[in-house]
């Protein structure tokens, strides 16, 4: 049984990583020691072959079963290792000269031959599949580090290059951007250029060479036959350049280990990624039908598109959940369309998928994470995640930009994110902007190039020019915060506070990562409320007023007061009615009317102005004949609750008097056809008797007279605590009302006998309308993005809870605050504040924002006009569809040449640029453009 190492191999669809297996000899104890050092300590090259960058599964780890070593002897893993790719030297050289830097590489000269194939004819034809012992031997002699001469730059058609993963992806994207693919869809007959080849690597120190063995038994026939066509089809010498800097360390470290241990060379099994040679093979074999060549292509699934109908418009589903297709183009002749990979929804993770797709398509940011971003990892920053979040995001970015179309499952990224941000754990729906804010901040801290932050003391303005002060603030900020996120996404505010008394002005310059813009209204909102009077013969009546959509409750009260001719000694109290009772009183004048929904039912009570905190009594109505359902009484209420101020609660009869006064306007008048005059006279007689009893303050009532008093009242009154299960306290006419003096609103339930329901017109009490009737609803309003910027930069007073301490007045003042844009970033992220909250509920604004796509001009809004161009072009949008209770996130992304696509979790669709503007737009992503790019 093999002992020492047990490596768990994990296969992913993007690239196969490099699993490593060693032959173990149970009789040689020290061999295990050597292999362990070779695996974990000797060279970064071996680390890259064994330990892939973050895999998709959280449990994708390697376990050790050799207990002859203590944990303290186990070396840590390198964070700078990358998988290895074999590509055309010429293809790599073009991209390297443009975007990649590094050494000149290590040159190998070699030859290749086929062994064990049997007959010579089979060797010539490359038909070695029939023999399982067939091998391709590639012998490569190391010539050492070499510079690329001018002649080699031109005549290097047949050379190979070994590059690491970040080099490969960087070059691939550079070629993709340079070519500018016109179509999303690859040709149906396009060949597949990326495949995994399992090889056996042997390092021969005596001859300073590498031997690569490609065995038929280790590979599928298609891969083996393609390898034969690459290395052996044409007899020639091979030149392989290693730019990954891995083999150099292989020789250096392995020589030292072998010298120390005295062991012989060992054969290493690994998987090499080969890209871009199918096209050259196909060109050589043009016009020649080769059954095995076709079979080699069958190992890679082919593309199949599907057409879906959505709102009558054809949408081509590029890559759906079940498609296992390839978008590889024709070798180096056709660059495959990159960046079209979707993300699986793990359960309400559409908010995360939308934000990620916008970020991984952000110019320069995607190039950074496809490149060697690990060199900037900051493992010492206590404010970050010790590099884990940046590594997880970088690995996910590379999976999404690899030449593949199978959707990616972001399991590992979500797990890493949740470990540092528990609010995103589980599978509840969240806000894409909140995730974006945390992710940008976390990536910045993980990639902060400043390892030790200096102390920066802020100086007073001292009437210095704003330019000088702003630059000083920015230098202090950069001295502590220097990352790709700061380079691309951070700008600077100019924030000013003005004292309303002494006019003292305080100016600061603060950094920002994104702009959160309010949605102002350009139209008026028509709102209908029911006005109820607490005195006089006036019956309830609806009244419709117009209020600005971005108005406050104070604006609504003023409009209502004007419409109903409110007296100076009166006030309006607005309450929301639900289930025939008051559920909340709208008494904060600063609350936005956006918090009032169209289907709310509001009542405006006309009350005398409150000067001494007089309690309010709410009278709710209920039929006296209770219905019993499942042995429990039904307390179903009816009508609009009535409201009154009361100061005297010494006797329950005061409650009765106040209620009779409120319902007097609802008493139906006597006539020959409807109301019997005797009933009316009886009610009037009861009222007179009650007044006589109550006004006689000197009368001493005994128990018998109290019972007589109760008997003359047809209504019954109960104190209601609002708890269905709690017992209701009946109010006695001759006893004090048991209430708390500190209670502002006293709820009284009035029990109506059937006779009284017939005598009063209770139907009037049921005339309660919605705030906005369906017939009054207008089409969704439209507002310009520039208006949102204006509203954001508008001067406004601070709230009472945010008082500013004025250094001149030596007191807290309600200062006026003004924001201005001083320095704008290269990538401008704009968050549209569609969601509003209060203590009762949440609300979403469906306002259509008309945002520019090609030229968003902020020149007139920016103070610092000399350093950069302030024109921006849209390249991504995070959309939210639905309401607060549930919704769905998608993303629109531009892929160049004015081509847009929609990322809906794992599905990717092309979309017309005219359809980018919708009322679902939630977060907008802009990139700076030059004036020359503006048409």
């Amino acid at each position: 049984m093999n002992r020492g190492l047990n490596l768990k191999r994990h296969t992913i669809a993007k690239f196969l990583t490099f699993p490593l297996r060693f032959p173990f000899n149970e009789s040689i104890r020290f061999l295990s020691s050597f292999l362990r050092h070779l695996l974990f300590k000797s060279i970064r090259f071996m680390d890259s072959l064994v330990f892939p960058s973050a895999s998709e599964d959280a449990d994708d780890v390697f376990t050790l079963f050799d207990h002859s070593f203590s944990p303290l002897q186990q070396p840590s893993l390198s964070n700078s290792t990358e998988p290895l790719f074999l590509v055309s030297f010429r293809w790599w050289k073009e991209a390297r000269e443009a975007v990649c830097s590094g050494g000149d590489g290590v040159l190998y000269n070699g030859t290749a031959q086929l062994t064990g194939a049997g007959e010579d004819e089979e060797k010539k034809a490359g038909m070695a599949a029939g023999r399982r012992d067939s091998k391709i031997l590639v012998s490569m002699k190391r010539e050492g580090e070499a510079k690329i001469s001018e002649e080699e730059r031109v005549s290097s058609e047949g050379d190979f290059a070994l590059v690491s993963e970040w080099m490969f992806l960087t070059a691939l994207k550079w070629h993709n951007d340079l070519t500018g693919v016109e179509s999303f869809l690859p040709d149906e007959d396009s060949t597949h250029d990326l495949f995994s080849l399992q090889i056996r690597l042997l390092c021969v120190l005596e001859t300073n060479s590498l031997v690569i063995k490609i065995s038929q038994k280790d590979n599928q026939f298609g891969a083996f036959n393609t390898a034969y066509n690459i290395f052996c089809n044409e007899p020639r010498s091979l030149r392989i350049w290693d730019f990954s800097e891995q083999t150099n360390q292989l020789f250096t470290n392995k020589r030292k280990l072998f010298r120390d241990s005295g062991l012989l060379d060992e054969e290493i099994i690994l998987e090499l990624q080969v890209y871009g040679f199918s096209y050259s093979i196909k060109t050589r074999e043009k016009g020649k039908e080769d059954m095995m060549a076709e079979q080699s292509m069958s190992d890679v699934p082919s593309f199949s598109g599907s057409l879906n109908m959505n709102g009558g418009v054809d949408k081509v589903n590029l890559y759906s959940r079940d498609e296992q297709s390839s978008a590889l183009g024709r070798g180096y002749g056709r660059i495959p369309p990159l960046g079209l990979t979707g993300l699986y929804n793990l359960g309400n993770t559409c908010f995360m998928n939308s934000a990620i797709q916008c970020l991984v398509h952000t110019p320069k940011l995607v190039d950074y994470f496809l490149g060697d971003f690990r060199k900037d990892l900051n493992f010492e920053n206590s404010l970050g995640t010790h590099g884990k979040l940046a590594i997880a995001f970088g690995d996910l970015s590379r999976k999404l930009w690899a030449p593949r179309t199978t959707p990616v499952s972001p399991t590992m990224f979500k797990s890493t994110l949740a470990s540092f941000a528990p609010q995103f754990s589980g599978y509840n729906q969240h806000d894409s902007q909140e995730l974006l804010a945390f992710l940008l901040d976390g990536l910045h801290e993980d990639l902060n190039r400043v390892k030790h932050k200096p102390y920066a003391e802020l100086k007073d303005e001292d009437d210095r020019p704003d330019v000088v002060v702003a630059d000083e603030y920015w230098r202090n900020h950069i001295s502590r915060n220097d990352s790709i996120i700061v380079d691309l996404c951070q700008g600077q505010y100019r924030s000013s506070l003005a004292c309303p008394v002494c006019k003292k002005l305080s100016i600061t310059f603060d950094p920002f990562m994104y702009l959160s813009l309010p949605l102002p209204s350009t139209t008026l909102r028509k709102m209908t409320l029911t006005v109820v009077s607490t005195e006089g013969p006036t019956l309830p009546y609806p009244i419709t007023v117009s209020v600005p959509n971005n108005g406050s409750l104070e604006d609504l009260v003023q409009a209502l007061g004007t419409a109903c001719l409110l007296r100076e000694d009166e006030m309006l109290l607005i309450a929301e009615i639900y289930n025939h009772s008051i559920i909340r009183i709208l008494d904060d004048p600063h609350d936005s009317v956006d918090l009032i929904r169209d289907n709310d039912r509001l009542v405006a009570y006309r009350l005398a102005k409150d000067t001494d905190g007089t309690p309010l009594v709410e009278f709710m109505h209920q039929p006296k004949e209770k219905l019993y359902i499942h042995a429990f009484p039904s307390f179903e209420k009816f009508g609009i609750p009535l409201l009154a101020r009361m100061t005297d609660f010494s006797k329950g009869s005061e409650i009765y008097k106040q209620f009779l006064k409120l319902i007097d306007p609802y008493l139906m008048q006597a006539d020959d056809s409807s109301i019997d005059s005797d009933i009316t006279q009886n009610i009037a007689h009861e009222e007179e008797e009650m007044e006589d009893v109550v006004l006689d303050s000197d009368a001493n009532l005994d128990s018998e007279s109290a019972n007589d008093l109760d008997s003359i009242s047809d209504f019954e009154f109960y104190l209601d605590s609002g708890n269905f299960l709690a017992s209701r306290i009946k109010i006695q006419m001759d006893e004090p009302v048991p209430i708390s003096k500190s209670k502002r609103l006293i709820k009284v339930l009035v029990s109506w006998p059937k006779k009284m329901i017939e005598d009063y017109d209770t139907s009037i009490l049921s005339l309660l309308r919605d705030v906005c009737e369906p017939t009054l609803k207008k089409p969704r309003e439209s507002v310009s993005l520039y208006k949102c910027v204006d509203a954001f930069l508008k001067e406004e007073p601070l709230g009472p809870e945010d008082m500013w301490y004025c250094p001149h007045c030596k007191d807290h003042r309600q200062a006026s605050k003004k924001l201005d844009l001083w320095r704008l970033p290269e990538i401008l992220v704009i968050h549209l504040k569609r969601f509003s909250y209060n203590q009762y509920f949440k609300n979403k604004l469906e306002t259509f924002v008309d945002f520019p796509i090609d030229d968003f001009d902020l020149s007139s809004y920016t103070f610092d006009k000399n350093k950069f161009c302030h024109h921006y072009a849209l390249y991504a949008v995070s959309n939210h569809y639905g309401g607060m209770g549930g919704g769905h996130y998608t993303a629109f992304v531009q892929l160049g040449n004015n081509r847009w696509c929609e990322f809906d979790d794992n599905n990717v669709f092309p979309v017309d640029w005219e359809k980018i503007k919708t009322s679902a737009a939630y977060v907008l992503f802009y990139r700076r453009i030059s004036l020359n790019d503006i048409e």
Side-chain angles (χ1 to χ4, degrees):
M1 178 182 297
N2 290 341
R3 295 191 327 219
L5 294 175
N6 177 24
L7 301 181
K8 178 180 178 181
R9 300 179 59 184
H10 177 65
T11 303
I12 58 176
K14 175 182 175 185
F15 309 114
L16 290 178
T17 55
F18 301 84
L20 186 63
R21 299 196 304 267
F22 293 92
F24 289 92
N25 190 339
E26 202 170 57
S27 63
I28 305 177
R29 179 69 175 176
F30 62 85
L31 180 59
S32 176
S33 174
F34 162 70
L35 293 175
R36 187 172 189 88
H37 283 283
L38 181 62
L39 178 63
F40 288 107
K41 187 177 180 181
S42 62
I43 50 173
R44 290 189 303 155
F45 176 66
M46 291 299 99
D47 284 344
S48 71
L49 304 182
V50 180
F51 297 96
S53 52
S55 66
E56 283 299 327
D57 294 336
D59 63 343
D60 187 23
V61 296
F62 298 90
T63 57
L64 301 175
F65 294 98
D66 187 354
H67 301 291
S68 61
F69 296 89
S70 67
L72 295 178
Q73 294 175 302
Q74 299 178 13
S76 60
L77 302 180
S78 171
N79 291 301
S80 60
T81 59
E82 298 281 350
L84 208 60
F85 289 76
L86 181 68
V87 297
S88 164
F89 173 74
R90 188 175 196 136
W91 178 85
W92 155 248
K93 178 166 58 68
E94 293 174 358
R96 177 179 178 271
E97 293 172 351
V99 296
C100 296
S101 60
D104 290 298
V106 177
L107 176 62
Y108 290 89
N109 286 317
T111 58
Q113 61 177 329
L114 179 66
T115 64
E119 300 296 332
D120 292 340
E121 292 77 9
E122 291 181 320
K123 293 182 181 181
K124 292 180 180 179
M127 300 173 60
R131 298 285 299 274
R132 298 293 294 171
D133 58 346
S134 300
K135 294 185 181 67
I136 300 172
L137 298 181
V138 183
S139 300
M140 304 190 308
K141 181 174 177 57
R142 181 174 179 269
E143 301 297 333
E145 297 185 8
K147 292 184 177 294
I148 306 174
S149 65
E150 191 64 31
E151 181 181 354
E152 288 167 337
R153 292 177 186 273
V154 178
S155 59
S156 55
E157 184 67 35
D159 288 3
F160 302 92
L162 285 173
V163 296
S164 57
E165 183 189 34
W166 76 264
M167 295 177 178
F168 168 71
L169 290 175
T170 301
L172 190 66
K173 187 174 184 300
W174 180 82
H175 280 283
N176 179 79
D177 295 342
L178 183 67
T179 306
V181 181
E182 295 294 333
S183 173
F184 285 102
L185 301 177
D187 292 341
E188 293 182 1
D189 62 344
S190 63
T191 56
H192 307 284
D193 283 340
L194 180 64
F195 68 95
S196 296
L197 189 65
Q198 190 174 67
I199 68 175
R200 296 172 182 266
L201 179 66
L202 181 66
C203 179
V204 184
L205 298 178
E206 290 78 5
T207 58
N208 209 30
S209 62
L210 290 176
V211 176
I212 296 178
K213 297 180 181 180
I214 307 172
S215 175
Q216 168 63 58
K217 66 180 180 181
D218 293 333
N219 295 278
Q220 295 181 352
F221 168 75
F224 181 80
N225 190 67
T226 305
Y228 174 83
N229 284 312
I230 293 173
F231 295 107
C232 302
N233 194 33
E234 294 180 358
R236 58 187 172 91
S237 61
L238 304 176
R239 295 208 312 170
I240 300 178
W241 298 77
D242 176 32
F243 293 91
S244 67
E245 300 180 356
Q246 306 289 353
T247 59
N248 189 36
Q249 295 190 26
L250 172 63
F251 276 97
T252 302
N253 290 279
K254 193 171 185 181
R255 179 176 287 109
K256 181 179 184 302
L257 286 174
F258 274 111
R259 183 173 61 249
D260 294 342
S261 61
L263 297 177
L264 299 176
D265 293 347
E266 292 292 336
E267 202 172 72
I268 303 168
I269 297 180
L270 57 90
E271 287 185 9
L272 182 70
Q273 308 302 311
V274 183
Y275 174 76
F277 296 101
S278 299
Y279 180 70
S280 58
I281 295 172
K282 187 173 181 180
T283 302
R284 291 198 306 264
E285 299 179 351
K286 185 177 181 181
K288 178 181 177 181
E289 295 184 1
D290 192 332
M291 177 185 66
M292 288 174 293
E294 292 183 5
Q295 184 177 353
S296 69
M297 294 302 102
S298 66
D299 293 335
V300 185
S302 60
F303 174 83
S304 60
S306 63
L307 296 178
N308 293 336
M309 298 298 291
N310 187 352
V313 180
D314 291 347
K315 300 181 72 176
V316 181
N317 185 346
L318 297 183
Y319 311 119
S320 66
R321 178 180 302 273
D322 298 321
E323 289 174 354
Q324 304 291 325
S325 59
S326 173
L328 291 177
R330 294 189 175 186
Y332 303 132
R334 287 289 301 272
I335 301 300
L338 302 178
L340 293 174
T341 306
L343 285 164
Y344 281 117
N345 192 321
L346 305 179
N348 281 332
T349 58
C350 57
F351 74 98
M352 181 181 73
N353 294 348
S354 174
I356 288 175
Q357 292 290 6
C358 292
L359 281 184
V360 300
H361 289 88
T362 295
K364 293 189 178 180
L365 187 65
V366 58
D367 295 334
Y368 176 82
F369 277 101
L370 292 184
D372 191 14
F373 74 94
R374 291 172 180 253
K375 68 181 184 300
D376 290 335
L377 288 175
N378 190 335
F379 300 102
E380 304 171 10
N381 190 356
S382 59
L383 299 178
T385 66
H386 305 290
K388 294 182 180 179
L389 184 62
I391 291 174
F393 181 78
D395 290 338
L396 182 59
S397 300
R398 293 181 177 187
K399 289 179 174 65
L400 293 176
W401 276 92
R404 56 171 292 165
T405 59
T406 305
V408 173
S409 176
T411 308
M412 187 63 184
F413 175 81
K414 184 180 185 300
S415 176
T416 304
L417 176 72
S419 65
F420 295 101
Q423 66 269 29
F424 298 117
S425 60
Y427 299 96
N428 294 324
Q429 182 66 276
H430 295 280
D431 191 302
S432 67
Q433 187 272 333
E434 292 178 0
L435 171 75
L436 184 70
F438 176 85
L439 186 55
L440 287 176
D441 186 65
L443 292 177
H444 157 65
E445 297 296 351
D446 276 359
L447 300 168
N448 196 348
R449 304 179 188 105
V450 180
K451 300 301 186 289
H452 302 285
K453 298 185 179 182
Y455 173 75
E457 183 178 0
L458 297 178
K459 302 177 182 179
D460 295 333
E461 301 96 293
D462 295 331
D463 298 326
R464 291 183 295 166
D466 284 350
V467 175
V468 176
V469 179
D471 287 346
E472 182 181 278
Y473 269 84
W474 189 251
R475 285 195 302 271
N476 289 339
H477 176 66
I478 293 298
S479 68
R480 298 171 56 85
N481 303 275
D482 182 16
S483 69
I484 183 66
I485 304 300
V486 174
D487 296 342
L488 294 179
C489 302
Q490 282 201 351
Q492 193 177 26
Y493 287 133
R494 178 185 184 271
S495 177
S496 59
L497 289 172
C499 177
V501 178
C502 69
K503 308 303 179 183
K504 166 69 177 177
L505 187 64
S506 175
I507 298 177
T508 58
F509 294 87
D510 304 312
F512 68 87
M513 193 85 74
Y514 52 86
L515 299 179
S516 289
L517 305 185
L519 302 185
S521 174
T522 57
T523 60
L524 296 176
R525 180 183 181 186
K526 290 190 175 183
M527 305 177 69
T528 301
L529 290 85
T530 302
V531 178
V532 177
S533 178
T534 58
E535 59 181 24
T538 306
L539 294 172
Y541 62 95
I543 187 168
T544 301
V545 295
S546 296
V547 182
N549 269 4
N550 61 341
S552 63
L553 184 62
E554 184 178 12
D555 298 326
L556 176 60
V557 171
Q558 289 178 356
L560 284 172
T562 302
C564 67
L565 303 176
L566 194 69
R567 302 194 310 265
E568 291 187 1
D569 61 339
E570 286 183 315
M571 63 169 288
L572 289 175
L573 188 146
I574 300 178
E576 181 181 350
I577 308 301
Y578 179 76
N579 195 23
H580 308 287
S581 62
I582 296 175
I583 61 169
R584 67 180 179 121
I585 294 177
L586 286 67
D587 55 358
D588 188 347
H590 300 292
D591 275 351
S592 172
V593 294
D594 288 334
L595 300 176
I596 301 174
R597 295 166 295 190
D598 288 346
N599 59 348
D600 286 346
R601 296 187 170 187
L602 302 183
V603 171
Y605 293 98
R606 297 183 64 154
L607 298 166
K609 283 187 176 180
D610 183 20
T611 57
D612 54 0
T614 305
L616 292 171
V617 179
E618 175 192 356
F619 293 97
M620 299 170 291
H621 318 290
Q622 176 191 341
K624 189 171 184 178
E625 290 73 16
K626 300 180 181 65
L627 300 177
Y628 284 84
I629 302 175
H630 303 298
F632 290 97
S634 173
F635 297 101
E636 183 178 355
K637 297 185 284 289
F638 68 89
I640 303 172
L642 303 178
L643 205 64
R645 295 194 187 278
M646 285 191 62
T647 57
D648 187 2
F649 295 94
S650 59
K651 287 185 177 9
S653 55
E654 294 295 332
I655 295 284
Y656 183 79
K657 282 181 58 180
Q658 184 63 52
F659 179 70
L660 288 180
K661 180 180 178 181
L662 292 174
I663 65 171
D664 183 67
Y666 306 94
L667 182 65
M668 290 188 287
Q669 299 299 323
D671 55 46
D672 296 338
S673 60
S674 58
I675 302 297
D676 188 276
S677 60
D678 293 338
I679 297 178
T680 306
Q681 292 175 1
N682 184 41
I683 294 174
H685 180 65
E686 288 182 3
E687 293 180 4
E688 292 176 0
E689 289 187 6
M690 280 296 303
E691 291 178 359
D692 293 340
V693 173
V694 173
L695 293 175
D696 188 7
S697 58
D698 298 329
N700 296 321
L701 298 176
D702 54 16
S703 60
E704 182 177 353
S705 61
N707 292 334
D708 293 339
L709 183 63
D710 287 342
S711 65
I712 65 175
S713 173
D714 291 300
F715 293 101
E716 292 180 354
F717 300 87
Y718 298 87
L719 287 177
D720 191 341
S721 64
N723 189 346
F724 175 78
L725 299 178
S727 59
R728 290 167 173 154
I729 303 173
K730 186 176 182 180
I731 298 176
Q732 304 298 330
M733 293 296 102
D734 59 341
E735 295 180 5
V737 182
I739 61 171
S740 172
K741 294 182 179 180
S742 61
K743 203 167 186 179
R744 184 186 173 190
L745 181 62
I746 301 167
K747 290 182 173 289
V748 175
L749 183 63
V750 182
S751 179
W752 285 64
K754 183 178 180 180
K755 181 179 66 172
M756 290 303 176
I757 292 178
E758 295 174 351
D759 292 346
Y760 287 85
D761 191 356
T762 56
S763 62
I764 299 178
L765 285 173
S766 300
L767 299 177
L768 189 60
R769 293 168 55 179
D770 291 347
V771 167
C772 184
E773 298 289 346
T775 56
L776 298 177
K777 291 183 179 179
K778 301 296 182 182
R780 291 176 180 173
E781 62 176 316
S782 174
V783 61
S784 168
L785 184 60
Y786 292 104
K787 292 292 183 181
C788 298
V789 178
D790 290 333
F792 175 73
L793 301 178
K794 180 182 177 182
E795 183 176 2
E796 58 183 5
L798 296 176
E801 67 280 359
D802 296 323
M803 301 286 277
W804 173 61
Y805 182 79
C806 177
H808 186 267
C809 297
K810 307 297 182 183
D811 199 1
H812 287 88
R813 302 294 187 189
Q814 191 172 1
S816 296
K817 183 176 183 179
K818 176 76 167 65
L819 286 178
D820 293 293
L821 301 178
W822 183 267
R823 185 192 307 265
L824 292 179
E826 183 170 345
I827 300 299
L828 181 61
V829 181
I830 294 180
H831 163 227
L832 302 177
K833 298 173 69 173
R834 293 194 177 276
F835 301 106
S836 53
Y837 309 86
N838 71 353
Q839 57 182 331
Y840 299 103
F841 56 83
K842 306 173 183 179
N843 188 38
K844 181 190 175 185
L845 302 178
E846 297 289 350
T847 305
F848 176 83
V849 178
D850 186 10
F851 48 86
I853 294 180
D854 296 323
D855 183 16
F856 182 33
D857 184 6
L858 290 174
S859 302
S860 60
Y861 294 93
T862 309
F863 268 64
D864 190 5
K865 303 180 184 296
N866 300 321
K867 293 187 177 180
F868 302 104
C869 173
H870 299 125
H871 293 259
Y872 288 84
L874 187 76
Y875 70 88
V877 183
S878 176
N879 303 301
H880 179 269
Y881 299 92
M884 295 296 300
H888 183 61
Y889 286 91
T890 67
F892 291 141
V893 172
Q894 187 187 47
L895 294 179
N897 296 332
N898 207 24
R899 296 176 301 120
W900 287 82
C901 62
E902 179 180 4
F903 289 84
D904 185 358
D905 289 332
N906 57 288
N907 296 312
V908 183
F909 306 101
V911 62
D912 246 352
W913 69 269
E914 293 92 347
K915 299 178 181 178
I916 299 302
K917 296 183 182 181
T918 69
S919 58
Y922 182 45
V923 184
L924 308 175
F925 293 78
Y926 283 92
R927 60 176 178 85
R928 179 185 286 126
I929 56 177
S930 64
L931 293 175
N932 296 330
D933 296 331
I934 303 174
E935 297 180 356

